[in-house]
Amino acid sequence: MRIERDCVVYLRYTLRDGSGDVLEQVEQDEPFIYLHGYENIIPSLEEALDALEVGDRFDVHLEAEDAYGAYNRQFQQRVSRDEFPDDMELKSGMAFELIPEDEDAAALLGQAGAGLVFYIKEVGGDDVLIDANHPLAGKALRFEGEILEVRPATSDEKNHGHAHGPGAEQH
Ligand code: ZN
């Protein structure tokens, strides 16, 4: 069957940035699984996969604007180390749900429209640089891969708006 809305799609792919560096490699034995037509993946990638079928290969180049958007330096904010639990080990690249007590930080990060997730960019002595840009913001992306399986979604999957099963949501 061809990929269309209400299909669950299994992919393997290699994700590279604009310089060709590999950012992510998803292999056949642990495929990426998603429900097609629900914007669970980047919309322009979803569009490119539309109507493909099992065995088809794809090579999709996305400019940053079509992927995770331009990088916006304003979405960075320095916050006190005290905002985080003492026993939490903070590392660059960690993602957090935003629970700001600082109203300015909340307002600034809210503008990013990135939902309520931010990333630790840099950990200093007393403060932490946080960033509401998606880690892939500002990067051109190239997804190269293959369609491994396409199946109709169950009614539960359609109701929930995501795929179920190993490698997807389990509940
Ligand atoms: Zn579900």
Side-chain angles (χ1 to χ4, degrees), residues 56 78 124:
D56 281 349
R78 252 176 220 290

Side-chain angles (χ1 to χ4, degrees), residues 35-102:
L35 176 61
H36 191 81
Y38 290 75
E39 296 198 0
N40 288 323
I41 61 173
I42 302 169
S44 34
L45 176 62
E46 188 163 49
E47 204 175 300
L49 298 179
D50 206 62
L52 296 185
E53 57 188 347
V54 172
D56 281 349
R57 294 183 179 239
F58 55 88
D59 188 358
V60 181
H61 297 245
L62 302 175
E63 293 305 319
E65 301 77 59
D66 296 322
Y68 290 97
Y71 187 86
N72 191 333
R73 195 162 284 279
Q74 283 190 313
F75 299 156
Q76 288 185 6
Q77 174 92 5
R78 252 176 220 290
V79 298
S80 165
R81 174 68 179 82
D82 300 340
E83 302 268 346
F84 298 90
D86 284 342
D87 57 355
M88 186 182 277
E89 197 193 341
L90 303 179
K91 277 191 220 145
S92 151
M94 286 171 90
F96 281 87
E97 296 260 359
L98 178 62
I99 316 163
E101 291 182 15
D102 179 335

Side-chain angles (χ1 to χ4, degrees), residues 62-161:
L62 302 175
E63 293 305 319
E65 301 77 59
D66 296 322
Y68 290 97
Y71 187 86
N72 191 333
R73 195 162 284 279
Q74 283 190 313
F75 299 156
Q76 288 185 6
Q77 174 92 5
R78 252 176 220 290
V79 298
S80 165
R81 174 68 179 82
D82 300 340
E83 302 268 346
F84 298 90
D86 284 342
D87 57 355
M88 186 182 277
E89 197 193 341
L90 303 179
K91 277 191 220 145
S92 151
M94 286 171 90
F96 281 87
E97 296 260 359
L98 178 62
I99 316 163
E101 291 182 15
D102 179 335
E103 279 179 26
D104 289 342
L108 183 69
L109 294 171
Q111 286 172 26
L116 296 172
V117 177
F118 66 90
Y119 300 86
I120 292 187
K121 184 104 178 155
E122 196 182 293
V123 183
D126 296 328
D127 59 14
V128 178
L129 183 62
I130 61 174
D131 193 340
N133 286 288
H134 188 279
L136 295 178
K139 287 183 194 282
L141 300 178
R142 177 180 178 190
F143 289 89
E144 193 185 2
E146 183 182 355
I147 311 297
L148 301 174
E149 190 181 333
V150 182
R151 64 164 172 84
T154 64
S155 51
D156 269 358
E157 288 174 321
K158 285 187 260 188
N159 288 336
H160 290 195

Side-chain angles (χ1 to χ4, degrees), residues 156-157 159-164 169-171:
D156 269 358
E157 288 174 321
N159 288 336
H160 290 195
H162 53 228
H164 288 164
E169 298 279 337
Q170 310 237 35
H171 54 220

